Amino acid sequence: MAEEDSRVSKQVQRLDRVVIRFAGDSGDGMQLTGDRFTSETASFGNDLSTLPNFPAEIRAPQGTLPGVSSFQVHFADHDIMTPGDRPDVLVAMNPAALKANLPDLPRGATIIVDTHDFTKRALAKVGYAVSPLEDGSLEAYHVHSLELTDLTLQAVEGLGLSRKDAGRAKNMFALGLVSWLYSRPVESTVGFLEKKFATKPDVAQANVAALKAGWNYGETTEDFSVTYEVKPAPMPSGTYRNISGNLAMAYGLLAAGQRAGLPLFLGAYPITPASDVLHELSKHKRFGVRAFQAEDEIAAIGAALGASFGGALGITTSSGPGVALKSETIGLAVSLELPLVVVDIQRGGPSTGLPTKTEQSDLLQAMFGRNGEAPVPIVAPRSPSDCFDAAIEAARIAITYRTPVFVLSDGYLANGSEPWQVPTVDALPDLGTEFATEKNHGEEFWPYLRDPETLARPWAIPGTPGLEHRIGGIEKADGSGNISYDPANHDLMVRTRQAKIDGIARSIPALEVDDPSGDADVLVLGWGSTYGPIGAAARRVRKAGMKIAQAHLRHLNPFPANLGEVLRGYQRVVVPEMNLGQLALLLRAKYLVDVVSYNQVRGLPFRAEELQEVLTNVITQAAGTTDTADEIGITR
């Protein structure tokens, strides 16, 4: 990180990784700024990971702490797993953005701040009696105080915009400056702006002018004497693109429909943070997608289940509050034994909770949130790009076993992004589906005769001659599907539906354990979006000379067949979760293993540094030198 040379009277310092956070009012365009910087970085070839963070209000009060919106991007010349614990650079557009994000900065971090709104009134609004730019409180940081707003107004002067409209381009000035500072190409952003504002050429011209002015300001000002360079990361050859979790989920569902040869039907009601899946799939009618925005969550899943009955791959998307409303129809899908993919993009709860913040608190809801014995398979992606594969896997299970399947993503994965190697079509699994076409019980069609391998019932498209059959929520007779209140039959059907779900374990891979030394005493086990922070923490622990094994669950119901054996192979098993210990509860109940549960419900992902501390303490404890469980806030 110290190799330097010169370029146009400026030094160029090469770094291996950088974490940058853009922060401002929710109307300052910080998400767009971060997204464009991410696209520039992806095109440059760096590995990257992002963390958008925005208020739940559509337009929060201007200049207030609750109204701060931020976008963090971590990019490097090597493989990385998280958006970074703490930003090396903070771009703050007002006092509120500075104050809200200052606690996350390490000593020596760089702060680029727009001084335009550092008025007495604006400072008082966030609790500053004196400007922090003047009282010496920022001495631990490298501060660049710039009049970004005024510089932007000068850059777009003469383009015919009002002062207010012209000032809105300050985010592009900041983007141009930071792009210059970290040697990012901006040509793609110029093209993006010209396309985005094609119907408003004056706005497009102003934003492009501000972007270029920010770049040129970096080149000419004496305030920045050093620029930085992060070389591209080595990656396997192939075609790459930057992708968010929700976009990957949409593409995965689309690919599943194509590989199954089925029309794809999405029944959804808009809800944060799942709406982007609906938005994206609505664009792809040419691939046989029918996206239906229903009047409510119940109508949405009812339509999706009806589409499955009609021979389509039914999908419904939501978050925790919407899933609660869908629960009765999910139970109906269990009884009907029809394929249905239920995508739950988890967010902070209960009730409305934290709509724009992340959490992993719907696991028990997905497991048990229905009346009666209604088992449902659960699949959880581990990263934004992995949402693509998780969606295909959920569709495979749903189609093969004729069952609703949960996909548990979350807000961190949904809105975050990373590079994704676009797969070839031939590399995707064949989900080819066979419908029932003939009578299967003499001169009758019995809808609940089962495949002996999967226990799945036949899928008959309504209107097929001779295959007429009943459906409904009342218990079915084994085989014939007639209504049955017989106690013994009900017991048989309940146990059969459970056995069908349990049998899925035979078709999923064994749990893989990353244990480089082969003799670690402690295993850290995660699920879903904790994969990145856990992996980064494990790397740090090993770099410090300690031994740690890591495993990550994709299938949460049923569990991989070898999970019990894996758990019993270690002295301690640590389970970090963004809830109060839901997976830990299931593991204790099923395997009688005294796992160490580390929990957090802050609406934000774990930091690698805090998990490193937790794992280090547990390893030390396992070695018999000390018991620090209470000190680090973990439970056993």
Side-chain angles (χ1 to χ4, degrees), residues 85-86 104 533 600 602 605-612:
D85 287 348
R86 301 181 182 277
D104 291 339
Q600 175 193 99
R602 299 188 301 120
F606 284 112
R607 287 176 174 165
E609 62 184 7
E610 65 182 302
L611 291 183
Q612 178 189 7

Side-chain angles (χ1 to χ4, degrees), residues 323 344 362-370 374 376-378 406 408:
V323 171
D344 179 359
D362 292 353
L363 175 56
L364 295 184
Q365 180 185 28
M367 283 287 294
F368 306 119
R370 294 161 296 283
V376 173
I378 302 172
F406 264 99
L408 289 184

Side-chain angles (χ1 to χ4, degrees), residues 504-515:
I504 296 171
R506 295 192 296 270
S507 73
I508 64 178
L511 180 65
E512 295 183 358
V513 180
D514 178 21
D515 185 0

Side-chain angles (χ1 to χ4, degrees), residues 610-630:
E610 65 182 302
L611 291 183
Q612 178 189 7
E613 180 183 359
V614 169
L615 298 179
T616 299
N617 278 279
V618 175
I619 292 170
T620 304
Q621 177 191 1
T625 57
T626 184
D627 188 338
T628 56
D630 292 336

Side-chain angles (χ1 to χ4, degrees), residues 48-64:
L48 62 89
S49 180
T50 70
L51 177 62
N53 190 4
F54 39 86
E57 292 82 359
I58 293 176
R59 189 66 176 92
Q62 192 170 7
T64 64

Side-chain angles (χ1 to χ4, degrees), residues 103 148 533-534:
L148 290 178
I534 289 174

Side-chain angles (χ1 to χ4, degrees), residues 97-259:
L98 177 63
K99 186 169 186 178
N101 292 282
L102 199 58
D104 291 339
L105 297 184
R107 292 179 63 86
T110 296
I111 300 174
I112 301 173
V113 59
D114 183 5
T115 60
H116 181 78
D117 287 331
F118 276 71
T119 62
K120 187 175 182 179
R121 180 184 178 187
L123 291 167
K125 192 181 292 187
V126 295
Y128 280 130
V130 180
S131 172
L133 303 178
E134 301 171 356
D135 65 3
S137 61
L138 301 180
E139 289 182 352
Y141 312 103
H142 301 292
V143 181
H144 300 273
S145 301
L146 307 175
E147 258 287 1
L148 290 178
T149 300
D150 286 351
L151 289 169
T152 302
L153 293 174
Q154 295 173 26
V156 303
E157 189 176 4
L159 296 181
L161 295 178
S162 67
R163 181 179 177 89
K164 181 179 180 180
D165 289 341
R168 288 176 178 166
K170 65 181 180 180
N171 64 324
M172 288 297 105
F173 189 100
L175 175 60
L177 174 59
V178 177
S179 298
W180 169 83
L181 189 60
Y182 287 94
S183 307
R184 306 289 94 183
V186 295
E187 290 78 13
S188 64
T189 297
V190 172
F192 169 84
L193 292 171
E194 291 174 344
K195 182 178 179 180
K196 179 178 177 64
F197 299 110
T199 59
K200 299 178 180 179
D202 54 341
V203 175
Q205 191 176 2
N207 278 278
V208 171
L211 177 73
K212 293 181 177 180
W215 177 282
N216 293 332
Y217 180 83
E219 281 278 12
T220 57
T221 183
E222 296 181 1
D223 201 39
F224 296 93
S225 59
V226 178
T227 62
Y228 302 93
E229 182 181 52
V230 181
K231 288 186 174 295
M235 294 184 179
S237 60
T239 301
Y240 288 83
R241 61 157 295 164
N242 186 55
I243 199 166
S244 69
N246 272 350
L247 184 58
M249 184 72 69
Y251 285 176
L253 295 170
L254 180 60
Q258 292 293 299
R259 296 297 286 170

Side-chain angles (χ1 to χ4, degrees), residues 519-523 549 566-574 593-596 618-625 636:
D519 60 353
D521 295 324
V522 176
L523 169 72
V566 168
L567 296 178
R568 289 187 286 270
Y570 294 89
Q571 291 185 30
R572 293 281 190 277
V573 178
V574 185
V593 173
D594 188 19
V595 302
V596 178
V618 175
I619 292 170
T620 304
Q621 177 191 1
T625 57
R636 290 203 298 269

